[in-house]
Structure formats: structure tokens, C-alpha cells
Amino acid sequence: MTGFTFVEKVLAQAAGVTQARAGDVLDIRPHRILSHDNTAAIRKLFEQIGVPRIADPERLIITLDHAAPAPTTLHAQNHAEIREWVQLQGIRHFFEVGRGICHQVISEEALVLPAEVILGADSHTTHFGWLGAFGMGIGRSEVAALWATGELWLAVPKTLRIVLNGALPEGVTAKDIALKIIGTLGVDGGAYRAIEFSGTTLARLSLDERPVLPNMMAEFGAMSAYMPPDEVVFDYLRQRTTRPFTPLYPDADATYDETVTFDVSALEPLVALPHQPDNVVPLSEAYGQPIQQAFVGTCTGGRYEDLAMVAQVVRGKRLKARLLVVPASAQVLQRAIATGVLADLLEAGVTLGTAGCGACMGNHMGVPAPHEATISTGSRNFKGRMGTTDAPIYLANPYVVAASAVTGCITHPADLV
Amino acid sequence: MQGKAHAYPVDNIDTDRIIAGKYTKTLDFSQLAAHCLEDLDPTFSQKVQAGDLLVAGENFGCGSSREQAPVALKAAGVAAVIARSFARIFYRNAINIGLPVLEVPDHTIQDGDQLSIDFENGIITNLTRQESYAATRLPSVMLKILQAGGLTAYLTEHGDYPSE
């Protein structure tokens, strides 16, 4: 008998069965159930089911991040309904407007640990693979069902193993690795499968870089994504929680649906052209494209190191395009203040937004005018994504986004020096 | 089920194009219906009639996990979605809100064709072209949820998930 993949192991544990194989249908009990500004709508579905109380409120995590602070009365009413629900059901893990984006906040609070399972009404819940956990995006009805029953059915997926070898060249980031994977294999390259990352590159990635890979596997159609956690991750968590954990690793003889290998040592900065994240070209092919707005933020590209990379590029320079910076969390912002990164950004003329999802999905805080182009550290460039149909979106790493803000067109950071 | 096809032979129609993020705060279904697919085809909400069928390419519904995407289609009058393949979260969301989705890898459906759907056997008959196509069968658990009208409806009735 061959060994087991990570998802086979972690889902068997969460279902309370001794073993599981790809294709098995299990009822799993997640450790955490995430929802955000969509919580009020989920409440309405939950109330239809007719169960008076949430099965285990301790497992719930609710953040207000998608439209925070509220841009309209409608959004404000929605937040008010969520706060009332949090009180009514005694939900302890509630994070207010300004605390930050759910995935970043939950990581900082160490509410998800290695080998745990988090299901969230947010497609980027794949994020938690960076901690060696199983994260999966689900819909509102499924969250309501989880509140009522504590369980959800799912089929154990096959696994695509992605081996990353080598050290990234200077100026190339985890964002470029994610774009390379999606650009090579397509936006449905990971569809219905789990991803397991391995290879010599992983240990070289900093704490802020690591989440980019599992996070962006949402743009790859993947169900979930996993990185084998190491001491760096354990230290990060031990500084934040006393809860014990036992990491899970795949067996050496596990059966994979497919294995793909990338050597990242020759990778160059990449750009995803409108309107799909797999529309990826080398930076040289997008070079000179005029942009009116640059956006640094989101659960993909709004961590401290992203801000620091931007500061490194814009320090002492003036900007030709608007540069919006929205930190992924209040802690990211505090760190940027402490190290002087924020001062450099503001000195250069950056617009700073409240920690949260910001301009990513077109709610507010940076909606472009028709025909205005945006270059973003985020993960989505779908048509109309930022709120305006005829406003093209380019995706790139923070260095490239910053350099483009300086010149007003898509630029290689090396050309600024 | 029988209806007219609105065919968009486009791959990777994402949830932002099905219903843009700026409209997702509303719980007013008529608003969702009015803006459904507007970035793909601004005339869609005027063209579609209750009971019509939407036909699309590969990876339909990729992108966000927003359940308003299938809700908007259903509110617009779409009775079922036929695609060569679906994005995973959209597929589950559609079943969970009671919108039938059929994965049909091979077909020659054109815009305006009259289709008849046999859910039990997973067969689509193209009445206009006198052809039929095989749909991937839904897992039994999903079929039961769909027959109940969606996941919350199923749980209201049964209290727990369908067993295999």
C-alpha cells in the first residue's frame, strides 16, 4: 500500500476516520469557520435552517475587512447586523474594521495551526497552507450549514505536487513564482485538486513571502494548497499562542496525480495582463504600458515586506501615478511605522488606506475611472474587478508596481537607479 | 426541463463578470438579476426569460467564492447552466442554492437552440439540431441537495447531510 498525501491525512483526521484516499467522501469537522462582511447574509440562511444556536461559536472567526470602514449606509447597516449577531451568539473571535484582512489577521493571531482545517466563505482561504494547515473556500450556504451542524461533506481531492527549486534572483518575488505557475498551467491548472509545494526554494522564502503561494492558488482553481511547515513557521506561531500542535507531512511514497517542477533561479519579473491571472508575460513585454494607478495591498500583496519593497523603490522619488497602499493588517502598519517604511512611503506621496481588502474588489478606496489602468500587487485582474468595466488591471510584484508608480508606465525597477 | 440556450462559448467566465463585487452587498434579488453578466453582455438581463438556459465554455465561475454569482443567475431567470467544465466553488454554490449545473464536455449547442434536459440520466437533447449530449452525472449527495431546492432547504427538512 502506498503512502498518503497531506490532504488525505489531514481530511481523515478532521473526519475522525483512520484513513482516507482521494475520491472518498467525508463529513469533516473543521477547527475554524471563517466569514467576513458576508456574515449578515449567512445569518439569514442560518435562520432559514431553523437551528436556534450556532453549534460551536468558539470555532467561528469573523472579520470586517471587505468594505472597511463602511463606504455606504448599506455597508454600514450590514456591519451593524454582524456586530449584533456576534453579541447574540457569543462569538469571541471577532475582528473589527481596521484590524485587517481575515487571512492575515488569523495568521497573526495564530488561530489556525499546522494540521488544522479552516473552511471560509472566501476563496483565498487556501492561504493557510503556508502554516501547514488545510484551508478551503466555501459558499455562504455551506457556512450556514457548518454553523448549524458543525460538519461539511467533501470529496478528498487528488494532489498536484509543485516542486520549486533554486533561489530567487534579486527583484523577483514569490508573486512571480505564483504568476509563473498560473501562467504556465492556466487558471484551471489546479482545478478540483489540492496542491502540495515542495523543493529547496520554500525554506528560502521569508515569512511574508510564503503565504503568497497558497493564497494565489485560488487563481489556479485549486481546492487547497499546502507548504510543509518548518521551524521558522513554528517559531512564528509559538510567539503568538501556547496552543499545542503536531504538524503533518505527506508520506514519501504518496500517490500524486501529477508532479510539476520549476527552477526559480532564472525567473524574471512577470506581469499578468488584463483580464485573467494566467495572461502572464515577462515584464519586458508589458514594458512602457501607461498606468494611472498603482495599488499595493490585498491578502496576496499587502504584508510588511511588500510595503518595504515599495519603500525601497520609491524612497526619495516623486510619483507620476497615484500609488495606493493598503496594509494587510494593523500590525503590518505598526511595523511599517516602527521601521520608517511608512515615512518613506508618505514622503514619496503615497495614499494610505485603512487595513483591509481595500480596492481589490471594487467596493471603494481606489475605484479607477473608465480606461484608467491599474497595476496591482493583488491576485485578480478580472474584467471589472476593481469596480469599473473598462479599467484594465495588471498584476505584478511590489518592486514592479512601485517602479511603475514612479514613471507612470510599467517599468523595471532596475531602470530607476 | 426545456428551454432556450443563451450560448457564450467563452472559457473562464469569472464571478466578477457574473455579478460584479460592487453589487454583492445587496440582498435585493432583482438588483442582482439586473446586473447579472453585464460585463460579459450588457443586454443579457433584458434578453433572458424565465426558464432559459445558459451555455458556457471551460471553468465557468472561476474567481471568488461569492454565492451571489449563482443566485444572480437564478434570479435573472436562468433555469440551468451548461458548461464544458465548472470552477469548484461555483459548482458547489450553484447546487447549494438550487441552481442545476451540468458539465457537458462535448456539445455543439448554438445561441438560440432549444434544449431539453433529462437530469436523471444526464442527457441533454438539442431539439433544434436533433442531437444529444452526455452530461457528467452529479454525485448522489448533490442530486439530493438539488432536488430539495438547495442546502439550507435540505437541512431544514432533514437536519443533516444526505448519506451516500
Side-chain angles (χ1 to χ4, degrees), chain B residues 93-152:
Chain B
N93 282 348
I95 301 292
N96 286 336
I97 63 112
L99 174 67
V101 278
L102 294 112
E103 189 182 71
V104 185
D106 293 309
H107 68 76
T108 55
I109 301 168
Q110 300 289 312
D111 198 46
D113 286 358
Q114 277 292 326
L115 309 177
S116 166
I117 301 175
D118 173 357
F119 283 104
E120 295 293 307
N121 298 301
I123 293 167
I124 294 172
T125 306
N126 190 329
L127 303 172
T128 308
R129 286 165 211 287
Q130 303 295 310
E131 293 172 341
S132 64
Y133 324 106
T136 308
R137 300 282 281 275
L138 281 177
S140 68
V141 48
M142 290 186 122
L143 199 57
K144 286 175 190 159
I145 291 169
L146 188 59
Q147 282 161 349
L151 181 57
T152 51

Side-chain angles (χ1 to χ4, degrees), chain A residues 166-181:
Chain A
L168 282 169
E170 182 135 3
V172 182
T173 74
K175 178 68 174 291
D176 297 301
I177 301 177
L179 290 175
K180 178 72 184 173
I181 294 167

Side-chain angles (χ1 to χ4, degrees), chain A residues 199-353:
Chain A
T200 60
T201 308
L202 301 187
R204 293 187 165 104
L205 295 175
S206 68
L207 280 171
D208 275 4
E209 287 266 77
R210 292 184 186 199
V212 175
L213 296 179
N215 176 286
M216 265 200 89
M217 291 302 99
E219 273 57 63
F220 194 46
M223 182 172 184
S224 192
Y226 163 86
M227 296 168 86
D230 59 11
E231 277 302 323
V232 181
V233 167
F234 304 151
D235 285 347
Y236 175 91
L237 293 169
R238 286 189 197 114
Q239 286 165 24
R240 289 164 170 80
T241 185
T242 53
R243 279 202 302 138
F245 55 86
T246 308
L248 260 185
Y249 298 94
D251 292 329
D253 59 343
T255 305
Y256 293 99
D257 191 36
E258 192 184 353
T259 297
V260 212
T261 304
F262 293 92
D263 175 6
V264 306
S265 60
L267 203 59
E268 55 184 319
L270 300 171
V271 175
L273 306 176
H275 298 285
Q276 240 170 245
D278 62 353
N279 198 4
V280 174
V281 297
L283 173 56
S284 55
E285 288 181 31
Y287 205 89
Q289 182 67 42
I291 54 107
Q292 286 72 39
Q293 177 170 277
F295 173 44
V296 176
T298 81
C299 54
T300 310
R303 273 173 287 286
Y304 171 75
E305 284 182 15
D306 300 305
L307 273 56
M309 289 179 210
V310 173
Q312 194 186 320
V313 174
V314 303
R315 192 173 290 134
K317 299 209 168 56
R318 303 186 71 82
L319 307 175
K320 289 219 174 89
R322 308 188 297 272
L323 176 53
L324 309 173
V325 173
V326 179
S329 75
Q331 288 187 7
V332 167
L333 178 59
Q334 282 176 315
R335 195 169 158 205
I337 292 169
T339 60
V341 157
L342 186 71
D344 288 338
L345 294 176
L346 293 174
E347 184 65 30
V350 155
T351 302
L352 181 70

